[in-house]
Amino acid sequence: WLGINIFLFTYYFLFFDRDERYFYTRAILGSALAWARASAKCLNFNSMLILLPVCRNLLSFLRGTCSLDHTLAFHKLVAYTLALLTAVHTIAHLFNLERYNSSQQAMDGSLPAVLSKMHLQGSNKWLNPIHSNQTTVEYMAFTTIPGLTGVIITLVLILMVTSSTEFIRRNYFEVFWYTHHLFLIYFAGLPSSPRSGLVRGQTEESIKEVHPHHCAQYLTHNDKDKHCSHSCCKDPEFGSIPAESWKWVLAPVLLYIFERILRVWRARQKVVVTKVVMHPARVLELQMQKRGFRMEVGQYIFVNCPAISLLEWHPFTLTSAPEEDFFSIHIRAAGDWTERLIDTFQQQQLEMPRIKVDDPFGTASEDVFQYEVAMLVGAGIGVTPFASILKSLWYKFQQGDQNLKTKKIYFYWLCRDTGAFAWFNDLLASLEQKMAESGKADFLTYRLFLTGWDTSIANNVALRFDTAVDTVTGLRHKTIFGRPMWNSEFTAVAAAHPRSVVGVFLCGPGALAKSLQKSCHQHSSLDPRKVKFYFNKENF
């Protein structure tokens, strides 16, 4: 992405450095003009793309034809590029304003000085926007339309980027949510920024009559009016550069507006909460129904509770299976909004709190049944997409689905405390029993890792080590204390499936993602006939 932007910047830099319309403008501003205009073009290009990754309905529609599982990372990359280009554009224009000011005050009869005094001839075909020796750079920045809109959208961009940092997004989600909606001001101000002619150029008609390469030298002749008898007698005429930003962003903005209208319409459809279950470790399960609701495994929805906030929508992975007649989510207390939601449903009320749902959107986990072998890795509440997958597997075994391509699933769940295992135990126990009855007890291999424990838990496990079921979970597989040794896990999978394509799916933190991605690369064979690991990560 950086290479694409460097290429575009270089192309436009060279274009504006040679464009005849800006010959006289370059005489005043020098190379700062090309820096400002090239960065502006690249800003338009990135502004065109910044909205596309958040058009969730479009991405869900396109999931079957192209890889769109890194759209959030792409959105962030474009945002950081916008921030960098904004810095370049702002600095270049500060240089431009300073050179405009210096040229206005110059009295040496040079070409920049002459061009800056053309407004004294009573014509509105001026080139230098600064017409007074008392005008300062600060005055131009805060009183002109392009200067003021430029300052505003720059401040908006700074607020959006800084509030999107991991720390603020995780700990102060409301700050991130509300400041991110300042993008409306950004896109409203973007087309206004180039207007009213801070940077002007020679008009096409004037270039035909008074070509700058031939006639520039005559502008500095003091006796031009007395002895002028050729085609360069006429002064060049200048005009504002038409605003082009709206052409770049019009289509994405219209697409996003349509997206928002569709979301509002869907959110108005009635959602019925059929069951509320409070699990250990403050995990709330909501089972709901909605007319026309269709889902696939691993998808997620956006949830709003008007009783808590009219504007905030939060993503939650569906934990139900497509075969069930309801859809469910599991919500862990992880912030002000989730705490208030759990408290609201825990209170004894005659009327259930209203819930709004924006329809399911696709994720990488939808592709799990496309692999013969799959490794599912969940951390904490990140197990939710795999609950949907494992439930769907249970139904497929119950119905004797002969089209199931997947032959083996390895499931890894990492938790800090024992209470987090409780709400998932019943599902795993049912799967164990059903697969044993179907003669496919080896289909699912799962490993549960307890990453946080105290001496009392360790002593209790040691005393009951020889029991048939695990002391912590009550399942047949024993809970492992500590973190997985991924090198050993991948080596074992590669040895068991030497000619398979293995899909690795993660819903968890970034550090774990880097570790798994590295393991996928290290354990994939260069021989196309041997084992390959493909990494997929959930992004919201």
Side-chain angles (χ1 to χ4, degrees), residues 79-91:
Y80 292 138
T81 306
L82 280 174
L84 176 62
L85 290 168
T86 299
V88 173
H89 186 70
T90 302
I91 293 171

Side-chain angles (χ1 to χ4, degrees), residues 132-143:
S132 169
N133 290 343
Q134 285 73 45
T135 304
T136 62
V137 173
E138 293 79 8
Y139 178 84
M140 294 297 294
F142 290 98
T143 60

Side-chain angles (χ1 to χ4, degrees), residues 11-316:
Y11 170 80
Y12 284 118
F13 186 92
L14 295 175
F15 172 78
F16 286 110
D17 202 41
R18 290 178 172 83
D19 194 340
E20 293 177 345
R21 294 175 299 171
Y22 302 100
F23 180 89
Y24 291 114
T25 316
R26 287 195 300 271
I28 299 176
L29 303 180
S31 62
L33 171 67
W35 281 93
R37 299 299 295 171
S39 58
K41 288 290 186 181
C42 291
L43 276 170
N44 291 336
F45 172 70
N46 285 272
S47 296
M48 176 183 68
L49 298 176
I50 191 71
L51 287 177
L52 296 181
V54 293
C55 291
R56 297 189 290 267
N57 292 287
L58 174 65
L59 299 182
S60 295
F61 175 75
L62 295 176
R63 267 198 57 81
T65 57
C66 54
S67 177
L68 298 168
D69 298 319
H70 301 287
T71 53
L72 184 60
F74 179 70
H75 179 75
K76 293 179 181 178
L77 184 61
V78 175
Y80 292 138
T81 306
L82 280 174
L84 176 62
L85 290 168
T86 299
V88 173
H89 186 70
T90 302
I91 293 171
H93 268 314
L94 289 175
F95 275 103
N96 287 338
L97 289 174
E98 188 59 44
R99 288 174 180 176
Y100 272 140
N101 195 38
S102 299
S103 298
Q104 166 61 30
Q105 297 180 13
M107 304 297 294
D108 55 2
S110 62
L111 182 58
V114 172
L115 292 169
S116 299
K117 303 296 190 297
M118 294 189 73
H119 66 280
L120 298 175
Q121 301 177 11
S123 171
N124 62 353
K125 306 299 183 182
W126 46 269
L127 182 61
N128 190 333
I130 298 180
H131 298 164
S132 169
N133 290 343
Q134 285 73 45
T135 304
T136 62
V137 173
E138 293 79 8
Y139 178 84
M140 294 297 294
F142 290 98
T143 60
T144 61
I145 292 177
L148 189 58
T149 54
V151 169
I152 291 173
I153 63 178
T154 300
L155 290 175
V156 164
L157 193 62
I158 291 172
L159 285 172
M160 291 171 63
V161 171
T162 53
S163 66
S164 301
T165 56
E166 186 78 10
F167 175 80
I168 293 178
R169 197 172 71 252
R170 295 293 183 187
N171 297 282
Y172 306 97
F173 184 83
E174 290 81 4
V175 175
F176 158 76
W177 178 262
Y178 289 114
T179 55
H180 227 60
H181 281 75
L182 293 173
F183 80 93
L184 297 171
I185 298 176
Y186 175 84
F187 279 97
L190 192 64
S192 304
S193 183
R195 292 185 179 178
S196 77
L198 276 185
V199 176
R200 295 160 66 90
Q202 190 176 4
T203 63
E204 296 287 351
E205 295 76 10
S206 178
I207 291 175
K208 293 177 182 178
E209 296 178 3
V210 189
H211 200 281
H213 291 292
H214 302 139
C215 302
Q217 56 182 324
Y218 293 97
L219 286 176
T220 57
H221 289 185
N222 294 328
D223 58 346
K224 172 184 170 185
D225 294 336
K226 299 178 181 178
H227 306 287
C228 187
S229 59
H230 47 72
S231 60
C232 293
C233 295
K234 189 175 181 180
D235 286 334
E237 295 185 357
F238 306 101
S240 299
I241 302 167
E244 296 182 350
S245 298
W246 66 272
K247 298 178 182 178
W248 291 81
V249 301
L250 180 62
V253 167
L254 290 177
L255 182 64
Y256 186 78
I257 291 173
F258 175 77
E259 170 99 1
R260 297 297 296 189
I261 293 173
L262 181 60
R263 290 188 208 172
V264 170
W265 176 77
R266 286 194 313 219
R268 293 176 64 88
Q269 299 178 24
K270 185 177 181 180
V271 176
V272 179
V273 179
T274 57
K275 188 176 182 180
V276 179
V277 182
M278 193 65 207
H279 295 283
R282 279 184 67 77
V283 174
L284 174 70
E285 178 184 356
L286 296 180
Q287 295 183 9
M288 296 166 282
Q289 290 180 331
K290 180 181 177 182
R291 177 183 288 184
F293 189 89
R294 296 289 184 272
M295 63 163 289
E296 298 292 337
V297 294
Q299 290 186 325
Y300 66 98
I301 58 175
F302 274 78
V303 175
N304 169 265
C305 182
I308 298 175
S309 173
L310 293 173
L311 299 178
E312 287 188 45
W313 290 79
H314 294 260
F316 295 97

Side-chain angles (χ1 to χ4, degrees), residues 430-494:
S430 298
L431 280 169
E432 280 185 333
Q433 180 181 354
K434 192 64 183 178
M435 290 174 186
E437 293 173 356
S438 304
K440 296 183 179 180
D442 295 332
F443 180 88
L444 174 66
T445 297
Y446 64 87
R447 298 179 184 274
L448 308 182
F449 295 85
L450 187 61
T451 58
W453 69 90
D454 54 30
T455 53
S456 62
I457 295 175
N459 292 334
N460 188 30
V461 171
L463 289 173
R464 303 184 180 184
F465 182 78
D466 294 330
T467 57
V469 296
D470 183 60
T471 304
V472 177
T473 64
L475 298 169
R476 297 176 187 175
H477 288 264
K478 301 290 185 177
T479 299
I480 301 171
F481 290 79
R483 299 184 180 277
M485 301 295 291
W486 291 117
N487 185 55
S488 300
E489 299 294 339
F490 275 80
T491 300
V493 173

